[in-house]
Amino acid sequence: MSGSLAVSLRRQQLIARVREGFRMAYGVDPTRFYAAPGRVNLIGDHTDYNAGLVLPCAIDRETIIAVGPADESDKTPRIHTVALDMGSVRDAFSIEGEIERAGNNWQNHIRGVAHFLRSRGVALRPARLAIGGDIPMGAGLSSSAALGVGTALALSDLAGQPLDPPDLASVAQKAESAFAGVACGIMDQMASACSMVGHAFLLDCRSLEHMPIPISDQLSIIVIDSGIRRQLEETGYNERREECEKAAEHYGLASLRPLTPALLEEGRGDLSDVIYRRARHVVSETARVEPTAVALVKGQTAELAQLMRASHHSLRDDFEVSIDPIDRLVSLIGTAIGDNGGVRMTGGGFGGSVVVLAKHEMIDIVTQVVETRYNPDAEIPASVQVYEAHAGAAQLTAG
Ligand code: GLA
């Protein structure tokens, strides 16, 4: 089956499931559908909130949001939601006054989006939403960014004031930060909102300038999910961000972006070893992003191997966001594929996934290594997926 046929079949099944979930929850049919993809970051981790460069790629796994108008008997204007992948748990909140936070994390993503849409002047309409998808949750593939971006698109479009993709990303990021407690950067939401099919997404997080990067047709995007789940708000994510802020302050900068290797050394002074290493990671990682984009276009696997290895080592040793099982996966796969591709941890860290960019014939080799060398000794078995580079969030016509 060709890639695009598989994508549309997968999506049709997802839409059918979400439509059914909507009917079960509300007893009527939805009127519109929206989709927002997850993303895998190819290189440039923990650089986004330092105003650096990143190179993510939207994947063909997505969140679908089915929308319908509110029940006419509902006296207060409210937004109702049902999360089909979370035991069909429901939420409803008033859009009359202040939008309040809820106890639960996924609900806060939606409430946060509603809040920040309104503060941009979007006149929210009462609505009913059903949400479901196939982005693995907690795998470092940005299921929460897709939820935020998809909700922002759905609610702004329903209000007759659809926002541009970068604005959708901004609303979703603010919601995640202020309502869900993760001081995340802008990478995941921008990738989910703005990506182009068949392309990675080169983003300058200082200017928000971005450029689609065509992925060589000789390369596959292989993602190994370690199965190890940590919520970002429970990990050292926010702490890393504070450490980077301390480093920037030490160098007298608003962000670490202007720091060069030479300035890093010259201005080191009494900076503690830990904070120095955090800054060194950000400087070296940002410098790897553009060369990786070039190698991705040209299908230069030896360059990818070298750049992604250096990225992994920096995240492991300088930024300290990797964990032993992920290091083991990276090392086993790296040895097996050699110069036929690159491998590194991806995303926020502390678990999640490993990404491989390699020649197509490496898919079987990677799968075999995971199944025969890693899984037998692993507490949690890892799984291998091959993803296609997908387009950003959109309204679907398949309703
Ligand atoms: C998470 C955050 C992003 C980014 C990555 C690390 O995915 O949501 O903003 O900081 O971690 O690169």
Side-chain angles (χ1 to χ4, degrees):
M1 197 181 336
S2 86
S4 58
L5 204 63
V7 169
S8 70
L9 191 65
R10 184 193 52 75
R11 180 180 266 177
Q12 290 313 322
Q13 287 169 347
L14 214 53
I15 293 173
R17 178 161 74 79
V18 178
R19 178 192 279 116
E20 189 50 32
F22 192 100
R23 272 195 206 128
M24 299 270 288
Y26 307 118
V28 291
D29 271 321
T31 52
R32 306 176 188 209
F33 291 88
Y34 300 86
R39 67 96 189 94
V40 58
N41 192 20
L42 306 181
I43 205 157
D45 268 316
H46 291 276
T47 49
D48 62 350
Y49 54 83
N50 290 298
L53 301 177
V54 293
L55 186 65
C57 168
I59 56 172
D60 54 330
R61 294 293 182 277
E62 56 196 347
T63 296
I64 302 280
I65 304 189
V67 181
D71 186 345
E72 277 164 17
S73 67
D74 207 352
K75 295 282 176 285
T76 29
R78 288 194 289 180
I79 291 176
H80 297 258
T81 50
V82 55
L84 303 174
D85 301 329
M86 304 200 173
S88 291
V89 50
R90 294 169 76 152
D91 187 33
F93 57 92
S94 164
I95 51 172
E96 236 169 18
E98 243 335 83
I99 292 169
E100 284 166 14
R101 283 172 182 71
N104 190 305
N105 192 302
W106 76 267
Q107 297 165 348
N108 279 327
H109 283 277
I110 298 173
R111 289 169 176 237
V113 163
H115 170 86
F116 286 106
L117 281 176
R118 211 167 44 190
S119 59
R120 292 187 73 99
V122 173
L124 294 173
R125 296 222 179 123
R128 291 183 281 196
L129 270 55
I131 301 160
D134 60 1
I135 308 169
M137 284 186 256
L141 300 175
S142 293
S143 57
S144 55
L147 172 63
V149 168
T151 305
L153 175 60
L155 295 182
S156 65
D157 193 54
L158 194 70
Q161 297 169 269
L163 299 187
D164 287 341
D167 293 332
L168 294 174
S170 163
V171 165
Q173 181 211 16
K174 286 190 183 129
E176 181 146 358
S177 200
F179 273 65
V182 180
C184 62
I186 191 71
M187 162 170 74
D188 307 344
Q189 292 81 3
M190 282 292 283
S192 181
C194 312
S195 287
M196 244 175 86
V197 69
H199 292 69
F201 181 75
L202 176 61
L203 172 68
D204 183 328
C205 299
R206 178 163 57 182
S207 62
L208 291 190
E209 271 179 72
H210 50 88
M211 191 196 283
I213 301 294
I215 300 174
S216 160
D217 59 12
Q218 292 166 37
L219 296 176
S220 287
I221 305 165
I222 311 166
V223 173
I224 302 92
D225 178 356
S226 70
I228 301 169
R229 299 285 182 261
R230 307 262 162 85
Q231 298 287 325
L232 277 188
E233 62 271 28
E234 295 160 6
T235 68
Y237 185 88
N238 289 349
E239 186 191 23
R240 291 296 180 282
R241 190 169 177 149
E242 282 161 23
E243 289 167 344
C244 290
E245 281 162 12
K246 268 193 206 146
E249 200 180 307
H250 169 87
Y251 287 97
L253 299 167
S255 78
L256 290 176
R257 178 62 183 280
L259 209 56
T260 59
L263 291 173
L264 178 77
E265 297 308 326
E266 275 164 32
R268 183 169 174 179
D270 61 355
L271 194 61
S272 78
D273 176 58
V274 168
I275 307 290
Y276 165 76
R277 284 188 288 113
R278 304 296 188 247
R280 184 166 66 182
H281 163 72
V282 174
V283 172
S284 71
E285 183 78 347
T286 280
R288 284 184 282 268
V289 173
E290 280 174 331
T292 303
V294 173
L296 193 64
V297 175
K298 297 189 176 165
Q300 293 167 328
T301 54
E303 280 77 357
L304 290 173
Q306 186 263 319
L307 289 158
M308 291 170 79
R309 187 182 312 119
S311 168
H312 185 76
H313 289 168
S314 180
L315 286 157
R316 183 191 65 191
D317 302 334
D318 275 357
F319 219 67
E320 295 179 282
V321 288
S322 191
I323 56 171
D324 289 346
I326 294 278
D327 293 340
R328 223 181 122 232
L329 275 170
V330 168
S331 156
L332 287 170
I333 295 169
T335 306
I337 66 175
D339 274 351
N340 293 304
V343 52
R344 59 185 284 278
M345 62 153 274
T346 179
F350 306 101
S353 296
V354 163
V355 62
V356 178
L357 289 170
K359 294 181 183 157
H360 306 306
E361 56 271 29
M362 293 298 112
I363 297 173
D364 287 347
I365 293 177
V366 170
T367 309
Q368 215 187 352
V369 166
V370 171
E371 282 171 5
T372 64
R373 304 281 314 278
Y374 176 83
N375 280 350
D377 299 326
E379 235 170 84
I380 303 174
S383 58
V384 180
Q385 288 288 338
V386 178
Y387 292 125
E388 303 286 329
H390 203 51
Q395 180 173 8
L396 303 178
T397 47

